[in-house]
Amino acid sequence: MDTKPTDVSISYNADGSGSFSIDASRLDTPIWSRIQLAVRSKGIDHAFSVGTIQLSWPDTLSIVRELGSRTNQKSLGFRFRPLGDAAGKLQDFALQYKTTRTQRESLKIDLSTDEIESNLRDVGFTKRQLKEFQIRDLSHLLALSNGANFSVPGAGKTTVTFALHMLTRQSGQDIIIVAPKAATQAWRDVVSECMDEDAPDQGSEQFTVLDGRDEDTIKALNSGATRFIISYDLMIRQQGILAKHFATTPTHLVLDESHRMKAGWQSQRGAFLLNIANLPVRRDILTGTPMPQHATDIESQLDFLWPGHGLGLEVIHGKTPRDVLGNLYVRTTKKELQLPIVNRHFIDISMDDGQLALYSIVRNEFLRNYSNNLSQRSGDSEFLKARRSVMRLLQLSVNPMLALNAMANDDVQIESAVVDQVLEEGHSAKMKAVIDHARKLASEGKKCVIWSIFTDTIHSFASALADLNPVFVHGGVKSGLDTDPETREGKIRRFHEDDKCFVFVANPAAAGEGISLHTVCHTAIYADRSYVSTHYLQSIDRIHRLGLLPDQETDIFVYRSKAPPQVGSIDFSVSRRLLEKIGNMQKLLDDPDLKELILDEEAADDPIDYDVDLQDIIDLIGELEGKAGQAPTEEL
């Protein structure tokens, strides 16, 4: 009887992937069956041939971690045999795995505040003096091989990350920032705001924005420059170029608004980032809302930071994200920034008769279609239809005339009496209340921002408030020079500088990032909200951020449409789900004022793509069936 252990070879391939291989005579051994089972059960993308399984290197590490213990090797009668470069990479992984597990429980800070400040001066980082909480976060991140910065807006995540890079960079090392387009200017500004013009080792080099064709990106990466910014969208279109660069050039890779990869392997951006996670020499993620919908949103971000460590799997298996992360992240709260408290006001407006009738028709159709037959096993097309119905109800709660037009385009049959009533009513009672509120503020010389997730509703508000010289921003408004009044930047500049421009109407998906309005505006009015917590949180942060005077009051008004209990209000369903999602983040981040203090994060480009998940729909069904209880009274 052959008792010799079966050798399972591990290779690190030229394209950055990994592979397991086994002698053809050993294909029926238990370990080969276990490896195949692990790959298939996890849904890992792989290529299979006789005696060989090729998969991403992070997935290779995961399989090694899961099956490679001495106990498993003995009981299954095998030995992992690394070949070539795989040996060194596995040794590095084993060391990092052990170190990360230790740091999660207890972190050793190696540098004092004085040492950090001295080292920054030595590299030419002298123009900006880091605040106490920024030094604290920086020292914490310096002790980690990769790090997560979950601080709120105004805490200086960009500055801290740039300082981190200056203190950790090696000769010949690049830094590449993947960020939303709205964050580009902040990264371009950070160098001139922090570095001496004559800083050593090209320390004052500006960031190069990668925004052109493939050949332009290749030329830039090979130009001798070392600092780059690229958008998530362009990153997807130029995956091959970036992967090659990461594999051949030591790179510090930073994901700004990292929750944008939360879909992980189910999205192009997530799959690409997870596939190349082992290539950069250092990885950092920045986001104030690491889990905007579910605890599992953080899974892919953890697997990007620490590929093969299984931290994301611990979350999937029910361990709380906070316990999984331990000391592996930093966060500065708005309470630490000593910002004045936000005043929140919830104003509920009863629907007019025609609006209620039309809303009830769509509500009844929604319940007939989805009350008893929607589950996790429902197909993508069924979920898409349900999400469209949810968006229709949200639109009806604020702007029934526009919803009526959309229904007519979809050939939905509505009784003429209902149509006539809706047309006669014109703007909904909620829209009229919002318009009146904006006029009252303007009469007092106060500016306001009105938020809506619907482009047509934004135009309706801008038209109705034309005498207040409003500006508007949504996904269809292009970016450009602030001297062009038709660009996003031009409109923002006008709102700041034109004393007669009293209203800024915007979609949080398009204007929730990279915009500061707090110097001229202290009132935000919500005509409607989506189920995505970050859309609400990030938009409030436009007027509540660092730089406010200590006695400056900030007011948030959330308008909600009321309906009879037997009909139910989608606005109340949104309130409940936002409260739950924000509460989940509070548990992770140990931030007791999270429900009042606002974060700056992700946005989708189109309402139909807003993240409405199964539990959102289930909650809405309960609301519409009158089984959900009272409307939430706890403020968000």
Side-chain angles (χ1 to χ4, degrees):
M1 181 177 180
D2 185 5
T3 59
K4 181 182 178 181
T6 300
D7 283 343
V8 178
S9 299
I10 304 173
S11 300
Y12 182 80
N13 305 315
D15 63 356
S17 65
S19 59
F20 296 101
S21 58
I22 194 171
D23 188 271
S25 65
R26 298 277 186 160
L27 294 178
D28 59 349
T29 55
I31 181 56
W32 196 240
S33 297
R34 285 288 297 275
I35 292 175
Q36 293 180 78
L37 176 62
V39 169
R40 289 168 177 159
S41 64
K42 297 176 187 299
I44 293 173
D45 188 23
H46 67 284
F48 181 80
S49 59
V50 177
T52 301
I53 300 175
Q54 184 174 343
L55 59 171
S56 74
W57 184 248
D59 285 329
T60 303
L61 295 176
S62 295
I63 299 298
V64 171
R65 177 185 50 78
E66 180 179 337
L67 299 178
S69 67
R70 292 181 181 178
T71 301
N72 275 340
Q73 292 192 52
K74 184 176 180 180
S75 63
L76 296 174
F78 79 98
R79 294 175 299 191
F80 277 137
R81 292 291 191 187
L83 304 177
D85 292 342
K89 290 188 174 295
L90 285 172
Q91 288 176 352
D92 291 343
F93 170 70
L95 177 61
Q96 188 183 71
Y97 179 80
K98 180 180 179 180
T99 301
T100 300
R101 293 285 160 163
T102 301
Q103 290 178 329
R104 184 166 69 171
E105 304 299 328
S106 178
L107 190 67
K108 179 183 177 183
I109 303 299
D110 296 321
L111 295 176
S112 68
T113 296
D114 289 343
E115 288 172 321
I116 289 175
E117 291 177 338
S118 175
N119 291 347
L120 286 173
R121 286 194 297 270
D122 289 344
V123 297
F125 191 107
T126 60
K127 285 189 174 180
R128 176 170 288 173
Q129 184 72 31
L130 294 185
K131 297 177 173 61
E132 182 179 348
F133 58 82
Q134 292 173 328
I135 291 284
R136 179 200 63 199
D137 289 352
L138 178 57
S139 64
H140 192 125
L141 292 167
L142 283 168
L144 297 169
S145 57
N146 305 291
N149 191 332
F150 297 153
S151 297
V152 298
K157 292 194 290 290
T158 301
T159 299
V160 169
T161 303
F162 184 67
L164 174 69
H165 173 67
M166 292 303 301
L167 295 181
T168 59
R169 70 171 181 161
Q170 301 296 319
S171 177
Q173 179 179 309
D174 288 356
I175 180 172
I176 294 183
I177 313 295
V178 183
K181 291 181 179 179
T184 298
Q185 193 59 48
W187 285 101
R188 298 187 72 175
D189 292 341
V190 73
V191 177
S192 58
E193 291 173 352
C194 297
M195 301 298 296
D196 287 338
E197 288 79 0
D198 57 352
D201 300 322
Q202 295 181 307
S204 61
E205 176 193 340
Q206 296 296 313
F207 275 94
T208 297
V209 179
L210 303 176
D211 58 1
R213 300 166 298 176
D214 288 6
E215 51 267 37
D216 298 325
T217 296
I218 293 172
K219 182 178 180 181
L221 292 174
N222 294 326
S223 66
T226 64
R227 295 172 182 165
F228 305 95
I229 309 171
I230 190 169
S231 70
Y232 281 94
D233 291 338
L234 188 58
M235 175 192 74
I236 293 306
R237 299 199 295 273
Q238 298 182 344
Q239 295 181 44
I241 297 170
L242 293 173
K244 180 180 179 181
H245 188 76
F246 296 146
T248 57
T249 304
T251 303
H252 180 185
L253 180 58
V254 177
L255 305 186
D256 197 354
E257 315 290 7
S258 60
H259 56 265
R260 289 176 176 242
M261 68 165 294
K262 67 186 176 70
W265 294 106
Q266 305 305 312
S267 66
Q268 290 187 34
R269 66 179 63 162
F272 170 67
L273 290 167
L274 290 171
N275 263 315
I276 57 86
N278 62 293
L279 298 178
V281 296
R282 181 179 175 101
R283 297 171 296 280
D284 284 278
I285 62 173
L286 317 179
T287 174
T289 52
M291 38 183 282
Q293 296 290 85
H294 309 281
T296 54
D297 289 345
I298 203 170
E299 175 195 4
S300 59
Q301 298 171 73
L302 297 183
D303 288 342
F304 167 78
L305 282 182
W306 298 284
H309 289 222
L311 298 181
L313 194 62
E314 291 185 35
V315 175
I316 293 297
H317 287 167
K319 198 170 182 179
T320 66
R322 185 180 172 193
D323 287 340
V324 172
L325 276 166
N327 293 309
L328 300 179
Y329 74 97
V330 299
R331 175 174 174 81
T332 295
T333 68
K334 284 198 171 180
K335 186 175 183 179
E336 291 176 289
L337 299 183
Q338 299 181 336
L339 289 183
I341 295 174
V342 173
N343 303 314
R344 303 196 203 302
H345 315 269
F346 288 80
I347 302 174
D348 297 333
I349 305 293
S350 295
M351 294 186 189
D352 289 327
D353 292 342
Q355 177 187 15
L356 179 59
L358 186 58
Y359 177 88
S360 298
I361 290 170
V362 176
R363 171 257 189 200
N364 292 339
E365 182 67 20
F366 178 81
L367 290 179
R368 278 195 298 272
N369 289 335
Y370 305 113
S371 181
N372 297 315
N373 61 1
L374 196 65
S375 70
Q376 292 286 8
R377 293 184 295 275
S378 300
D380 290 343
S381 62
E382 197 68 15
F383 265 118
L384 179 60
K385 291 178 182 177
R387 290 184 176 110
R388 288 183 182 276
S389 295
V390 171
M391 297 312 296
R392 180 66 50 78
L393 285 167
L394 282 170
Q395 190 176 40
L396 279 165
S397 77
V398 63
N399 199 339
M401 284 203 302
L402 289 175
L404 185 62
N405 291 336
M407 294 167 72
N409 293 333
D410 292 341
D411 293 326
V412 178
Q413 300 300 314
I414 306 294
E415 291 184 11
S416 59
V418 173
V419 173
D420 292 343
Q421 183 71 18
V422 169
L423 294 176
E424 182 179 340
E425 289 169 358
H427 292 315
S428 69
K430 182 163 71 168
M431 284 191 71
K432 292 174 182 175
V434 170
I435 291 168
D436 289 344
H437 193 160
R439 291 192 183 285
K440 182 176 185 299
L441 289 169
S443 69
E444 299 169 357
K446 298 177 181 178
K447 295 175 182 265
C448 72
V449 54
I450 299 175
W451 295 103
S452 173
I453 62 177
F454 297 103
T455 298
D456 288 340
T457 300
I458 290 172
H459 285 292
S460 293
F461 276 124
S463 177
L465 295 167
D467 56 309
L468 300 183
N469 300 302
V471 290
F472 60 84
V473 172
H474 51 67
V477 177
K478 64 181 181 179
S479 292
L481 298 175
D482 63 6
T483 53
D484 183 346
E486 298 305 314
T487 65
R488 161 190 161 112
E489 290 74 15
K491 291 174 182 291
I492 295 168
R493 178 180 179 181
R494 182 182 163 209
F495 185 64
H496 277 90
E497 297 181 355
D498 186 348
D499 292 339
K500 296 182 179 179
C501 176
F502 285 102
V503 180
F504 184 91
V505 194
N507 182 338
E513 295 173 342
I515 292 178
S516 296
L517 305 175
H518 64 294
T519 58
V520 295
C521 177
H522 308 294
T523 303
I525 302 173
Y526 288 81
D528 51 59
R529 296 182 297 173
S530 79
Y531 280 100
V532 181
S533 60
T534 47
H535 292 161
Y536 175 53
L537 296 176
Q538 70 183 8
S539 57
I540 294 181
D541 186 61
R542 300 311 99 207
I543 64 170
H544 186 246
R545 56 194 299 117
L546 197 66
L548 289 173
L549 297 175
D551 59 349
Q552 176 61 59
E553 291 194 358
T554 299
D555 289 295
I556 306 299
F557 294 87
V558 177
Y559 281 81
R560 304 187 296 187
S561 286
K562 287 196 301 184
Q566 64 270 26
V567 176
S569 168
I570 191 170
D571 286 350
F572 290 170
S573 173
V574 168
S575 285
R576 268 191 302 272
R577 292 294 290 147
L578 289 177
L579 183 60
E580 180 177 343
K581 293 171 184 180
I582 294 171
N584 287 337
M585 280 193 287
Q586 179 184 353
K587 293 175 185 176
L588 162 65
L589 300 172
D590 192 23
D591 189 346
D593 59 352
L594 184 59
K595 293 177 184 176
E596 291 78 31
L597 305 181
I598 309 306
L599 314 175
D600 176 18
E601 306 303 337
E602 167 181 9
D605 295 329
D606 190 286
I608 200 63
D609 294 326
Y610 283 180
D611 221 341
V612 180
D613 64 24
L614 175 63
Q615 194 57 46
D616 295 331
I617 296 173
I618 290 173
D619 186 278
L620 175 57
I621 290 172
E623 173 66 32
L624 299 182
E625 290 182 331
K627 300 176 182 177
Q630 297 297 315
T633 57
E634 186 174 358
E635 293 186 354
L636 298 174

